[in-house]
Every structure is written in C-alpha cells, then in structure tokens.
Coordinates of all heavy atoms in Angstrom, one line a residue:
M17 N -31.0 5.6 12.3 CA -30.1 6.3 11.4 C -28.7 5.7 11.7 O -28.3 5.5 12.8 CB -30.1 7.8 11.6 CG -29.2 8.5 10.7 SD -29.5 10.3 10.9 CE -28.0 10.9 10.2
T18 N -28.0 5.3 10.6 CA -26.7 4.7 10.7 C -25.6 5.8 10.9 O -25.7 6.8 10.2 CB -26.3 4.0 9.4 OG1 -27.3 3.1 9.1 CG2 -25.0 3.3 9.5
P19 N -24.8 5.7 11.9 CA -23.8 6.7 12.1 C -22.8 6.8 10.9 O -22.5 5.8 10.3 CB -23.0 6.2 13.4 CG -23.4 4.8 13.6 CD -24.7 4.6 12.8
A20 N -22.3 8.0 10.7 CA -21.3 8.2 9.6 C -20.0 7.5 9.9 O -19.6 7.5 11.1 CB -21.1 9.7 9.3
I21 N -19.4 7.0 8.9 CA -18.1 6.3 9.1 C -17.0 7.4 8.9 O -17.0 8.1 7.9 CB -17.9 5.2 8.0 CG1 -19.0 4.1 8.3 CG2 -16.5 4.6 8.1 CD1 -19.0 3.0 7.2
A22 N -16.2 7.5 9.9 CA -15.1 8.4 9.8 C -14.1 8.0 8.8 O -13.8 6.8 8.7 CB -14.4 8.5 11.2
T23 N -13.6 8.9 8.0 CA -12.6 8.6 6.9 C -11.4 9.5 7.1 O -11.4 10.5 7.7 CB -13.2 8.8 5.5 OG1 -13.5 10.2 5.4 CG2 -14.4 7.9 5.2
V24 N -10.3 9.0 6.6 CA -9.1 9.8 6.5 C -8.6 9.7 5.0 O -8.9 8.8 4.3 CB -7.9 9.2 7.4 CG1 -8.3 9.3 8.9 CG2 -7.6 7.8 7.0
T25 N -7.9 10.7 4.6 CA -7.4 10.8 3.2 C -5.9 10.8 3.3 O -5.3 11.7 3.9 CB -7.9 12.0 2.5 OG1 -9.4 12.0 2.5 CG2 -7.4 12.1 1.1
L26 N -5.3 9.8 2.6 CA -3.9 9.8 2.5 C -3.5 9.9 1.0 O -4.4 9.9 0.2 CB -3.3 8.5 3.1 CG -3.8 7.1 2.7 CD1 -2.7 6.1 2.9 CD2 -5.0 6.8 3.5
V27 N -2.3 10.2 0.8 CA -1.8 10.4 -0.6 C -0.9 9.2 -1.0 O 0.2 9.0 -0.3 CB -1.1 11.7 -0.8 CG1 -0.6 11.9 -2.2 CG2 -2.0 12.9 -0.4
V28 N -1.3 8.4 -1.9 CA -0.5 7.2 -2.3 C 0.1 7.5 -3.7 O -0.7 7.6 -4.7 CB -1.4 6.0 -2.4 CG1 -0.6 4.8 -2.8 CG2 -2.0 5.7 -1.0
D29 N 1.4 7.6 -3.7 CA 2.1 7.9 -5.0 C 1.5 9.1 -5.7 O 1.3 9.1 -6.9 CB 2.1 6.6 -5.9 CG 2.9 5.5 -5.4 OD1 3.8 5.7 -4.6 OD2 2.5 4.3 -5.7
G30 N 1.2 10.1 -4.9 CA 0.7 11.3 -5.4 C -0.8 11.4 -5.7 O -1.4 12.4 -6.1
R31 N -1.5 10.3 -5.4 CA -3.0 10.2 -5.6 C -3.7 10.1 -4.3 O -3.5 9.3 -3.5 CB -3.2 8.9 -6.5 CG -4.7 8.7 -6.9 CD -4.8 7.5 -7.8 NE -4.2 6.3 -7.3 CZ -4.9 5.3 -6.8 NH1 -6.2 5.3 -6.9 NH2 -4.3 4.2 -6.4
P32 N -4.7 11.0 -4.1 CA -5.5 11.0 -2.9 C -6.3 9.7 -2.8 O -7.0 9.4 -3.7 CB -6.3 12.3 -2.9 CG -6.2 12.8 -4.3 CD -5.1 12.1 -5.0
V33 N -6.3 9.1 -1.6 CA -7.1 7.9 -1.3 C -7.8 8.1 0.0 O -7.2 8.3 1.0 CB -6.2 6.7 -1.3 CG1 -6.9 5.4 -0.9 CG2 -5.5 6.5 -2.6
A34 N -9.1 8.0 0.0 CA -9.9 8.1 1.2 C -10.3 6.7 1.7 O -10.8 5.9 0.9 CB -11.2 9.0 0.9
V35 N -10.0 6.5 2.9 CA -10.4 5.1 3.5 C -11.0 5.3 4.9 O -10.9 6.4 5.5 CB -9.1 4.2 3.6 CG1 -8.5 3.9 2.2 CG2 -8.1 4.9 4.5
E36 N -11.6 4.3 5.4 CA -12.1 4.3 6.8 C -11.0 4.5 7.8 O -9.9 4.0 7.7 CB -12.8 3.0 7.1 CG -14.0 2.7 6.3 CD -13.7 1.9 5.0 OE1 -12.5 1.8 4.6 OE2 -14.6 1.3 4.4
A37 N -11.3 5.3 8.8 CA -10.3 5.6 9.9 C -10.0 4.2 10.6 O -10.9 3.4 10.7 CB -10.8 6.6 10.9
G38 N -8.8 4.0 11.0 CA -8.4 2.8 11.7 C -7.8 1.7 10.8 O -7.3 0.7 11.3
L39 N -7.9 1.9 9.5 CA -7.4 0.9 8.5 C -5.9 1.0 8.5 O -5.3 2.1 8.7 CB -7.9 1.2 7.2 CG -8.3 0.1 6.2 CD1 -9.4 -0.7 6.9 CD2 -8.9 0.7 4.9
S40 N -5.2 -0.2 8.3 CA -3.8 -0.1 8.1 C -3.4 0.4 6.7 O -4.3 0.3 5.8 CB -3.2 -1.5 8.3 OG -3.5 -2.3 7.2
V41 N -2.2 0.8 6.6 CA -1.8 1.3 5.2 C -1.8 0.2 4.2 O -2.2 0.4 3.1 CB -0.4 1.9 5.3 CG1 0.2 2.3 3.9 CG2 -0.4 3.2 6.2
A42 N -1.5 -1.0 4.7 CA -1.5 -2.2 3.8 C -3.0 -2.4 3.3 O -3.2 -2.7 2.1 CB -1.0 -3.4 4.5
A43 N -3.9 -2.3 4.2 CA -5.3 -2.5 3.8 C -5.8 -1.4 2.9 O -6.5 -1.6 1.9 CB -6.2 -2.5 5.0
A44 N -5.3 -0.2 3.2 CA -5.6 1.0 2.3 C -5.1 0.8 0.9 O -5.8 1.1 -0.1 CB -5.1 2.3 2.9
L45 N -3.9 0.3 0.8 CA -3.3 0.0 -0.5 C -4.1 -1.0 -1.3 O -4.3 -0.9 -2.5 CB -1.8 -0.4 -0.4 CG -0.9 0.6 0.0 CD1 0.5 0.0 0.3 CD2 -0.8 1.8 -1.0
A46 N -4.6 -2.1 -0.6 CA -5.4 -3.1 -1.2 C -6.7 -2.5 -1.6 O -7.3 -2.8 -2.7 CB -5.6 -4.3 -0.3
R47 N -7.3 -1.7 -0.8 CA -8.6 -1.1 -1.0 C -8.5 -0.1 -2.2 O -9.4 0.0 -3.0 CB -9.1 -0.3 0.2 CG -10.3 0.4 0.1 CD -11.6 -0.4 0.4 NE -11.5 -1.3 1.5 CZ -12.1 -1.1 2.7 NH1 -12.7 0.0 3.0 NH2 -12.0 -2.1 3.6
A48 N -7.4 0.6 -2.3 CA -7.2 1.6 -3.3 C -6.8 1.1 -4.7 O -6.8 1.8 -5.7 CB -6.2 2.7 -2.9
G49 N -6.3 -0.1 -4.8 CA -5.8 -0.6 -6.0 C -5.4 -2.0 -6.0 O -6.1 -2.9 -5.5
D50 N -4.1 -2.3 -6.3 CA -3.6 -3.7 -6.4 C -2.9 -4.1 -5.1 O -2.5 -5.3 -5.0 CB -2.7 -3.8 -7.6 CG -1.6 -2.8 -7.6 OD1 -1.3 -2.2 -6.5 OD2 -1.0 -2.6 -8.7
G51 N -2.7 -3.2 -4.2 CA -2.0 -3.6 -2.9 C -0.5 -3.8 -3.0 O 0.1 -4.1 -2.0
I52 N 0.1 -3.5 -4.2 CA 1.5 -3.7 -4.3 C 2.2 -2.6 -3.5 O 1.9 -1.4 -3.5 CB 1.9 -3.6 -5.8 CG1 1.1 -4.6 -6.6 CG2 3.4 -3.7 -6.1 CD1 1.4 -6.0 -6.2
T53 N 3.3 -3.0 -2.9 CA 4.1 -2.1 -2.0 C 5.4 -1.7 -2.6 O 5.9 -0.6 -2.3 CB 4.3 -2.7 -0.6 OG1 4.8 -4.0 -0.8 CG2 2.9 -2.8 0.1
R54 N 6.1 -2.6 -3.3 CA 7.4 -2.4 -3.7 C 7.8 -3.4 -4.8 O 7.0 -4.2 -5.2 CB 8.4 -2.5 -2.6 CG 8.5 -3.8 -2.0 CD 9.3 -3.9 -0.7 NE 9.5 -5.3 -0.3 CZ 10.5 -6.1 -0.7 NH1 11.4 -5.6 -1.6 NH2 10.5 -7.3 -0.4
T55 N 9.0 -3.3 -5.3 CA 9.5 -4.3 -6.2 C 10.7 -5.0 -5.6 O 11.5 -4.4 -4.8 CB 10.0 -3.7 -7.6 OG1 10.9 -2.6 -7.3 CG2 8.7 -3.1 -8.3
S56 N 10.9 -6.2 -5.9 CA 12.1 -7.0 -5.4 C 13.3 -6.6 -6.2 O 13.2 -5.8 -7.2 CB 11.8 -8.5 -5.6 OG 11.9 -8.8 -7.0
V57 N 14.5 -7.1 -5.8 CA 15.7 -6.7 -6.6 C 15.7 -7.2 -8.0 O 16.3 -6.7 -8.9 CB 17.0 -7.3 -5.9 CG1 17.2 -6.6 -4.5 CG2 16.9 -8.8 -5.7
S58 N 14.9 -8.2 -8.3 CA 14.7 -8.7 -9.7 C 13.6 -8.0 -10.4 O 13.3 -8.3 -11.6 CB 14.5 -10.2 -9.7 OG 13.3 -10.5 -9.1
G59 N 12.9 -7.0 -9.8 CA 11.9 -6.2 -10.4 C 10.5 -6.8 -10.3 O 9.6 -6.2 -10.9
M60 N 10.3 -7.8 -9.5 CA 9.0 -8.4 -9.4 C 8.2 -7.6 -8.3 O 8.7 -7.1 -7.3 CB 9.0 -9.9 -9.0 CG 9.7 -10.7 -10.0 SD 9.5 -12.5 -9.7 CE 7.7 -12.6 -9.7
A61 N 6.9 -7.4 -8.6 CA 6.0 -6.7 -7.7 C 5.9 -7.5 -6.4 O 5.8 -8.7 -6.4 CB 4.7 -6.5 -8.3
R62 N 5.9 -6.8 -5.3 CA 5.7 -7.5 -3.9 C 4.5 -6.9 -3.2 O 4.2 -5.7 -3.5 CB 7.0 -7.2 -3.1 CG 8.3 -7.6 -3.8 CD 8.3 -9.0 -4.3 NE 8.3 -9.9 -3.2 CZ 8.3 -11.3 -3.4 NH1 8.4 -11.7 -4.6 NH2 8.3 -12.1 -2.3
A63 N 3.9 -7.6 -2.4 CA 2.7 -7.2 -1.6 C 2.8 -7.8 -0.3 O 3.5 -8.7 0.0 CB 1.4 -7.6 -2.4
P64 N 2.0 -7.2 0.7 CA 2.0 -7.7 2.0 C 1.6 -9.2 2.0 O 0.8 -9.7 1.3 CB 0.8 -7.0 2.7 CG 0.8 -5.7 1.9 CD 1.2 -6.0 0.5
L65 N 2.4 -10.0 2.9 CA 2.2 -11.4 3.0 C 1.6 -11.9 4.3 O 0.6 -12.5 4.4 CB 3.5 -12.1 2.7 CG 3.4 -13.7 2.7 CD1 2.5 -14.2 1.7 CD2 4.8 -14.2 2.5
C66 N 2.4 -11.5 5.4 CA 2.0 -12.0 6.7 C 1.0 -11.2 7.4 O 0.2 -11.6 8.2 CB 3.2 -12.2 7.6 SG 4.0 -10.6 8.1
G67 N 1.0 -9.9 7.2 CA 0.1 -8.9 7.9 C 0.4 -8.8 9.4 O -0.4 -8.2 10.1
M68 N 1.6 -9.2 9.8 CA 1.9 -9.1 11.3 C 3.4 -8.7 11.5 O 3.9 -8.9 12.6 CB 1.6 -10.4 12.0 CG 2.3 -11.6 11.5 SD 1.7 -13.0 12.4 CE 2.9 -14.2 11.8
G69 N 4.0 -8.0 10.6 CA 5.3 -7.4 10.8 C 6.5 -8.3 10.7 O 7.5 -8.0 11.2
V70 N 6.3 -9.5 10.1 CA 7.4 -10.5 10.1 C 8.1 -10.5 8.7 O 9.3 -10.5 8.6 CB 6.9 -11.9 10.5 CG1 8.0 -12.9 10.3 CG2 6.4 -11.9 11.9
C71 N 7.3 -10.5 7.6 CA 7.9 -10.8 6.3 C 8.6 -9.6 5.7 O 9.4 -9.8 4.8 CB 6.8 -11.4 5.4 SG 5.6 -10.1 4.8
Q72 N 8.2 -8.4 6.1 CA 8.9 -7.2 5.5 C 8.5 -6.9 4.1 O 9.0 -6.0 3.4 CB 10.4 -7.2 5.6 CG 10.9 -7.6 7.0 CD 10.8 -6.5 8.0 OE1 11.3 -5.4 7.8 NE2 10.1 -6.8 9.1
E73 N 7.5 -7.7 3.5 CA 7.1 -7.4 2.1 C 6.3 -6.2 1.9 O 6.1 -5.7 0.8 CB 6.3 -8.6 1.6 CG 7.1 -9.9 1.5 CD 8.1 -9.9 0.4 OE1 8.3 -8.9 -0.3 OE2 8.8 -11.0 0.2
C74 N 5.9 -5.6 3.0 CA 5.0 -4.4 2.9 C 5.7 -3.1 3.1 O 5.0 -2.1 3.3 CB 3.8 -4.5 3.9 SG 4.4 -4.5 5.6
R75 N 7.0 -3.1 3.0 CA 7.8 -1.9 3.2 C 7.4 -0.8 2.2 O 7.4 -1.0 1.0 CB 9.3 -2.1 3.1 CG 9.8 -2.9 4.3 CD 11.2 -3.3 4.1 NE 11.3 -4.4 3.1 CZ 12.3 -4.8 2.5 NH1 13.5 -4.3 2.8 NH2 12.2 -5.8 1.6
V76 N 7.0 0.4 2.7 CA 6.8 1.6 1.9 C 7.4 2.8 2.6 O 7.8 2.7 3.7 CB 5.3 1.8 1.7 CG1 4.6 0.7 0.8 CG2 4.6 1.9 3.0
D77 N 7.5 3.9 1.9 CA 7.9 5.1 2.5 C 6.7 5.9 2.9 O 5.8 6.1 2.1 CB 8.8 6.0 1.5 CG 10.1 5.4 1.3 OD1 10.6 4.6 2.1 OD2 10.8 5.8 0.3
I78 N 6.6 6.2 4.2 CA 5.5 7.0 4.8 C 6.1 8.2 5.3 O 6.9 8.2 6.3 CB 4.8 6.2 5.8 CG1 4.2 4.9 5.2 CG2 3.7 7.0 6.5 CD1 3.5 3.9 6.2
D79 N 5.7 9.4 4.8 CA 6.2 10.7 5.2 C 7.7 10.7 5.2 O 8.3 11.2 6.2 CB 5.6 11.1 6.5 CG 4.1 11.3 6.4 OD1 3.6 11.6 5.3 OD2 3.4 11.1 7.5
G80 N 8.3 10.0 4.2 CA 9.7 10.1 4.1 C 10.5 9.0 4.9 O 11.7 9.0 4.9
R81 N 9.8 8.2 5.6 CA 10.5 7.1 6.4 C 10.0 5.8 6.0 O 8.8 5.5 5.7 CB 10.1 7.3 7.9 CG 10.6 8.6 8.5 CD 10.3 8.7 10.0 NE 10.6 7.5 10.7 CZ 9.9 7.0 11.8 NH1 8.8 7.7 12.2 NH2 10.2 5.9 12.4
R82 N 11.0 4.8 5.9 CA 10.6 3.5 5.5 C 9.9 2.8 6.6 O 10.4 2.7 7.7 CB 11.9 2.7 5.1 CG 11.8 1.3 4.7 CD 11.1 1.1 3.4 NE 11.5 2.0 2.3 CZ 12.4 1.6 1.4 NH1 12.9 0.5 1.4 NH2 12.7 2.5 0.4
M83 N 8.7 2.3 6.4 CA 7.9 1.7 7.4 C 7.1 0.5 6.9 O 7.0 0.3 5.7 CB 6.9 2.7 8.0 CG 7.6 3.9 8.6 SD 6.4 5.2 9.2 CE 5.8 4.4 10.6
L84 N 6.6 -0.3 7.8 CA 5.8 -1.5 7.4 C 4.3 -1.0 7.3 O 3.7 -0.6 8.2 CB 6.0 -2.6 8.5 CG 7.3 -3.2 8.7 CD1 7.3 -4.2 9.7 CD2 7.9 -3.7 7.4
A85 N 3.8 -1.2 6.1 CA 2.4 -0.8 5.8 C 1.4 -1.6 6.7 O 0.4 -1.0 7.1 CB 2.1 -1.0 4.4
C86 N 1.7 -2.8 7.0 CA 0.8 -3.7 7.8 C 0.8 -3.3 9.3 O -0.2 -3.6 10.0 CB 1.1 -5.1 7.6 SG 2.5 -5.7 8.6
Q87 N 1.8 -2.5 9.7 CA 1.9 -2.2 11.1 C 1.6 -0.7 11.3 O 1.8 -0.1 12.4 CB 3.3 -2.5 11.7 CG 3.6 -4.0 11.6 CD 2.7 -4.8 12.4 OE1 2.6 -4.7 13.6 NE2 1.9 -5.7 11.8
T88 N 1.1 0.0 10.3 CA 0.9 1.4 10.4 C -0.5 1.8 10.1 O -1.1 1.4 9.1 CB 1.9 2.2 9.4 OG1 3.2 1.7 9.6 CG2 1.8 3.7 9.5
T89 N -1.1 2.5 11.0 CA -2.5 3.0 10.9 C -2.5 4.2 10.0 O -1.7 5.2 10.2 CB -3.1 3.2 12.2 OG1 -3.0 2.0 13.0 CG2 -4.6 3.6 12.1
C90 N -3.5 4.3 9.1 CA -3.6 5.5 8.2 C -3.9 6.7 9.1 O -4.7 6.7 10.0 CB -4.8 5.2 7.2 SG -4.4 4.0 6.0
R91 N -3.3 7.8 8.7 CA -3.6 9.1 9.3 C -3.9 10.1 8.2 O -3.4 10.0 7.0 CB -2.3 9.7 10.1 CG -2.0 8.9 11.3 CD -0.8 9.6 12.0 NE 0.2 10.2 11.1 CZ 1.2 9.5 10.7 NH1 1.4 8.3 11.0 NH2 2.1 10.1 9.9
D92 N -4.7 11.1 8.5 CA -5.1 12.1 7.5 C -3.9 12.8 7.0 O -3.1 13.2 7.8 CB -6.1 13.0 8.2 CG -7.1 13.6 7.1 OD1 -7.4 12.9 6.2 OD2 -7.5 14.7 7.3
G93 N -3.7 13.0 5.7 CA -2.6 13.7 5.2 C -1.3 12.9 5.0 O -0.3 13.4 4.5
M94 N -1.3 11.7 5.4 CA -0.1 10.8 5.3 C 0.3 10.6 3.8 O -0.6 10.4 3.0 CB -0.5 9.4 5.9 CG 0.5 8.4 5.8 SD -0.2 6.8 6.5 CE 0.3 7.1 8.2
A95 N 1.6 10.7 3.5 CA 2.1 10.5 2.2 C 2.8 9.2 2.1 O 3.7 8.9 2.8 CB 3.0 11.7 1.8
V96 N 2.2 8.3 1.3 CA 2.7 6.9 1.1 C 3.3 6.8 -0.3 O 2.7 7.2 -1.3 CB 1.6 5.9 1.3 CG1 2.2 4.5 1.1 CG2 1.0 6.0 2.6
T97 N 4.6 6.4 -0.3 CA 5.2 6.2 -1.6 C 5.6 4.7 -1.7 O 6.4 4.2 -0.9 CB 6.5 7.0 -1.7 OG1 6.1 8.4 -1.5 CG2 7.1 6.9 -3.1
T98 N 5.1 4.0 -2.7 CA 5.5 2.7 -3.0 C 6.7 2.6 -3.9 O 7.1 3.6 -4.4 CB 4.3 1.9 -3.7 OG1 4.2 2.4 -5.0 CG2 3.0 2.0 -2.9
G99 N 7.3 1.5 -4.0 CA 8.6 1.4 -4.8 C 8.3 0.9 -6.2 O 9.2 0.6 -6.9
L100 N 7.0 0.9 -6.6 CA 6.6 0.4 -7.9 C 6.5 1.5 -8.9 O 5.8 2.5 -8.7 CB 5.3 -0.4 -7.8 CG 4.9 -1.3 -8.9 CD1 6.0 -2.4 -9.0 CD2 3.5 -1.9 -8.7
P101 N 7.3 1.4 -10.0 CA 7.1 2.4 -11.0 C 5.7 2.5 -11.5 O 5.0 1.4 -11.6 CB 8.1 2.0 -12.1 CG 9.0 1.0 -11.5 CD 8.2 0.4 -10.4
R102 N 5.2 3.7 -11.8 CA 3.8 3.8 -12.2 C 3.4 2.9 -13.4 O 2.4 2.2 -13.3 CB 3.5 5.3 -12.5 CG 2.0 5.5 -12.7 CD 1.7 7.0 -12.5 NE 2.0 7.5 -11.2 CZ 1.3 7.4 -10.1 NH1 0.2 6.7 -10.2 NH2 1.7 7.8 -9.0
P103 N 4.2 2.8 -14.5 CA 3.8 1.9 -15.6 C 3.7 0.5 -15.1 O 2.7 -0.2 -15.6 CB 4.9 2.1 -16.6 CG 5.5 3.4 -16.3 CD 5.4 3.6 -14.8
A104 N 4.6 0.0 -14.2 CA 4.5 -1.4 -13.8 C 3.2 -1.6 -12.9 O 2.6 -2.6 -13.0 CB 5.7 -1.7 -13.0
R105 N 2.9 -0.6 -12.1 CA 1.7 -0.7 -11.3 C 0.5 -0.8 -12.2 O -0.4 -1.6 -11.9 CB 1.5 0.6 -10.4 CG 0.2 0.6 -9.7 CD 0.1 1.8 -8.7 NE 1.0 1.7 -7.7 CZ 0.9 0.9 -6.6 NH1 -0.1 0.1 -6.5 NH2 1.8 0.8 -5.7
Q106 N 0.4 0.0 -13.2 CA -0.8 0.0 -14.1 C -0.9 -1.4 -14.9 O -2.0 -1.8 -15.2 CB -0.8 1.1 -15.1 CG -0.9 2.5 -14.3 CD -0.7 3.6 -15.2 OE1 -0.1 3.5 -16.3 NE2 -1.0 4.8 -14.8
S107 N 0.2 -2.1 -15.1 CA 0.1 -3.3 -15.9 C 0.3 -4.5 -15.0 O 0.5 -5.6 -15.6 CB 1.1 -3.2 -17.0 OG 2.4 -3.2 -16.5
H108 N 0.3 -4.4 -13.7 CA 0.6 -5.5 -12.8 C -0.4 -6.6 -13.0 O -1.6 -6.4 -13.0 CB 0.6 -5.1 -11.4 CG 0.7 -6.3 -10.5 ND1 1.8 -7.0 -10.3 CD2 -0.3 -6.8 -9.7 CE1 1.6 -8.0 -9.4 NE2 0.3 -7.9 -9.0
H109 N 0.0 -7.9 -13.1 CA -0.8 -9.0 -13.0 C 0.0 -10.2 -12.5 O 1.2 -10.2 -12.5 CB -1.4 -9.4 -14.4 CG -0.4 -9.8 -15.4 ND1 0.3 -8.9 -16.1 CD2 -0.1 -11.0 -15.8 CE1 1.1 -9.5 -16.9 NE2 0.9 -10.8 -16.8
L110 N -0.7 -11.2 -11.9 CA 0.0 -12.3 -11.3 C 0.6 -13.2 -12.4 O 0.0 -13.3 -13.5 CB -0.9 -13.1 -10.5 CG -1.5 -12.4 -9.3 CD1 -2.6 -13.3 -8.6 CD2 -0.4 -12.1 -8.3
P111 N 1.8 -13.8 -12.2 CA 2.4 -14.7 -13.2 C 1.4 -15.8 -13.5 O 0.8 -16.4 -12.6 CB 3.6 -15.2 -12.4 CG 3.9 -14.3 -11.4 CD 2.6 -13.7 -11.0
G112 N 1.4 -16.2 -14.8 CA 0.5 -17.2 -15.2 C -0.9 -16.8 -15.5 O -1.8 -17.6 -15.8
T113 N -1.2 -15.5 -15.3 CA -2.6 -15.0 -15.6 C -2.5 -14.0 -16.7 O -1.4 -13.5 -17.0 CB -3.2 -14.3 -14.4 OG1 -2.4 -13.2 -14.0 CG2 -3.3 -15.3 -13.2
T114 N -3.6 -13.7 -17.3 CA -3.6 -12.6 -18.3 C -4.0 -11.3 -17.7 O -4.8 -11.3 -16.8 CB -4.5 -13.0 -19.5 OG1 -5.8 -13.2 -18.9 CG2 -4.0 -14.2 -20.2
P115 N -3.4 -10.2 -18.1 CA -3.8 -8.9 -17.5 C -5.3 -8.5 -17.8 O -5.8 -9.0 -18.7 CB -2.8 -7.9 -18.2 CG -2.1 -8.7 -19.2 CD -2.4 -10.1 -19.1
Ligands
FES355 S1 2.9 -7.9 5.6 FE1 4.6 -9.0 6.5 S2 5.6 -7.4 7.6 FE2 3.9 -6.4 6.8

C-alpha cells in the first residue's frame, strides 16, 4: 500500500490551493496555475527565474509580509497575494504566442 501524501492548503489570491507538504510557494503557484508572482513597473507579468533567492522575481505577499516565494515553504492556511490583477492573470500569455 502506498503511503498517503501529506498536503497543505494555502489561499492564493483568495482561492484555496492544496499542494504536497514541503513544496515552495513558487512551486505551488506554478502547480496551481501560471506561476505568475507580480507585475513589473511597466505592467508585464513576472515569474520566478532563479529559484535560489537571487533575482527577486518571485516576490509575493505572504500573510501580509513581502517574501520570496522560492525561499518559502508552504504552510497550511498561508495567505499568498500576488501582484497580478485578476483579469491580467486570466489572460496571461507569453509575448509572441497566442493565448
Ligand atoms: S526565483 Fe529568484 S529570488 Fe525567487
């Protein structure tokens, strides 16, 4: 018999997301959708790049504090707020591609 995988549920932009325990918030965002964390000053969608705390592209608000998603392990009940407006998140696509 395969052991059950422990999960945690966090809330991303008001939406509950269940992921495996031990996952980073950046991985949870990718697993739950498009992985977008914020927008640049010009309004372009940004996502984790380095995965090791250097580029700062994964900044999100976690329980009201600005943190790096790639350096933060998911906890049950954690509230994650990205900087991407909901309509932009729903229509996100890479430049040069069709949605
Ligand atoms: S992905 Fe580069 S700092 Fe988190």
